[in-house]
Amino acid sequence: MIDNRQLVCFLFVCLLLSAGGCGGRGPQRPSQRSGTKPEADSAALALMEMNQRMAMAADEEVLRYVQGREDAERFAQMPFSNAWMRIVERGDEQSASPQKDETWRLHIKTYSLHGQLLLDTEQEYVIGRNELPMCIEMNINEWHRGAKVVIATPWYAAYGMMGTEDVPAYENVLLEISIL
């Protein structure tokens, strides 16, 4: 299970990455120093604290969801992402598994934890290019053609703070993945 330090680090990195895209101006000239330390950015700290609370609540909601399923004992918790995975079909274990920079066709159905179908896509993805939710990207190299996997995942390991056109922001989801 992910500990609080890992979660804080993950959220801090996300915040840094989103802030890193801002700007385009050169360095600023030094200002006159008054001898006082600058105050912490209270808005950034508040956002980090809120995201940490929401991530812990998401972990609890996903765990309750998995524990409430009839097939709960078939799910295993995935490291770092705090998602829960169940392999429905292993596929052709003699075939190659998806590797970085390879293009693979996947069918992904995304459901809310309440059962509402949010997104149903079948398309090609380039592995390792962050085109897939993090919980899939981190484990896809262990699966094979023909595999079918179900993942119950918190928002931060799926579609994140921004969501997509079809998946709301901060939405914990159930993913059904088939490697074609």
Side-chain angles (χ1 to χ4, degrees):
M1 192 160 151
I2 191 166
D3 67 21
N4 286 340
R5 286 184 290 156
Q6 288 175 321
L7 182 60
V8 169
C9 285
F10 172 75
L11 293 173
F12 183 71
V13 168
C14 289
L15 182 65
L16 285 176
L17 290 174
S18 66
C22 299
R25 295 187 288 187
Q28 295 179 349
R29 292 181 43 177
S31 62
Q32 297 295 333
R33 300 199 182 247
S34 63
T36 60
K37 289 186 175 183
E39 293 183 27
D41 184 353
S42 59
L45 291 174
L47 178 62
M48 285 176 51
E49 184 178 320
M50 179 190 75
N51 278 339
Q52 183 179 10
R53 281 194 313 264
M54 291 181 75
M56 288 190 293
D59 292 341
E60 292 172 10
E61 181 183 1
V62 171
L63 177 60
R64 278 192 309 273
Y65 172 80
V66 169
Q67 288 175 336
R69 289 179 57 108
E70 290 180 13
D71 58 352
E73 71 282 346
R74 293 183 172 200
F75 278 81
Q77 189 173 25
M78 298 164 65
F80 187 66
S81 67
N82 240 13
W84 292 82
M85 174 178 63
R86 176 177 175 237
I87 297 176
V88 178
E89 291 181 29
R90 294 206 171 274
D92 180 7
E93 293 181 336
Q94 302 304 314
S95 69
S97 59
Q99 300 299 315
K100 186 175 171 138
D101 296 325
E102 293 180 347
T103 301
W104 284 73
R105 188 163 195 80
L106 302 176
H107 183 200
I108 303 172
K109 289 184 179 181
T110 304
Y111 295 90
S112 72
L113 294 185
H114 305 290
Q116 177 187 5
L117 179 64
L118 302 172
L119 185 61
D120 186 349
T121 60
E122 182 178 318
Q123 68 184 56
E124 291 186 344
Y125 296 92
V126 179
I127 308 305
R129 299 270 175 94
N130 295 324
E131 296 176 1
L132 294 163
M134 181 181 77
C135 61
I136 296 174
E137 195 78 58
M138 291 176 64
N139 293 283
I140 196 165
N141 62 347
E142 298 174 13
W143 307 332
H144 300 274
R145 189 171 311 282
K148 292 186 180 175
V149 180
V150 175
I151 300 176
T153 183
W155 59 268
Y156 59 84
Y159 297 98
M161 296 185 294
M162 304 305 276
T164 69
E165 187 177 303
D166 300 303
V167 180
Y170 295 103
E171 183 76 23
N172 302 321
V173 295
L174 180 72
L175 302 167
E176 292 181 358
I177 305 113
S178 298
I179 301 180
L180 308 176

